[in-house]
Amino acid sequence: MRRRTGRPGLLGLAARTAVVAGTANAVSGSMHARQADSAKQAADAQAFRDQQAAVEHQAAMQAAAAQAVAQHQAAAPPPPPQPTVAAVAGDEMIAQLERLGALRQSGILTDEEFAAQKARILGG
């Protein structure tokens, strides 16, 4: 059988179309991948810039807060004296006695147990 020259046959046209379509598909996929990479890089760069701006803003806020505290401390009167140990101990003893009273009223402690614990708290 003799081969025709000139116009390709049906099989040749189908093969050529498949090659062109495959090449177009590969080029399109490559372009989409490149565009996706570019978009991801741009988004990453923007996220980094946003994070840097947030860090700088936080540092500025901390510096302003430190300056405000320093100014307040310079202008503020000295703090009142701390309560003495005896006053704190007295408050603690009162709180313990109140808890004991509540336990006695609820029936958890008997009068004898209450008296013993009260003597222990009062140190006698």
Side-chain angles (χ1 to χ4, degrees):
M1 176 172 198
R2 210 169 133 185
R3 191 170 164 186
R4 279 187 352 174
T5 59
R7 292 185 354 187
L10 184 60
L11 188 59
L13 283 175
R16 186 181 302 159
T17 302
V19 168
V20 170
T23 303
N25 195 16
V27 169
S28 174
S30 176
M31 285 176 44
H32 286 299
R34 197 172 305 137
Q35 288 172 349
D37 285 345
S38 295
K40 184 177 181 334
Q41 286 177 352
D44 289 347
Q46 184 62 41
F48 179 75
R49 286 190 297 270
D50 291 346
Q51 185 180 16
Q52 287 299 105
V55 167
E56 290 171 3
H57 178 72
Q58 181 68 25
M61 293 298 288
Q62 288 176 346
Q67 184 180 9
V69 167
Q71 288 175 351
H72 178 72
Q73 286 177 347
Q82 295 294 328
T84 62
V85 175
V88 172
D91 290 343
E92 188 175 320
M93 286 179 15
I94 291 171
Q96 288 178 349
L97 290 172
E98 287 174 346
R99 283 190 298 247
L100 281 176
L103 290 173
R104 182 177 67 172
Q105 286 180 349
S106 65
I108 295 174
L109 289 178
T110 65
D111 290 336
E112 294 82 26
E113 292 170 330
F114 174 77
Q117 291 298 323
K118 180 180 169 184
R120 182 188 61 81
I121 291 171
L122 295 175

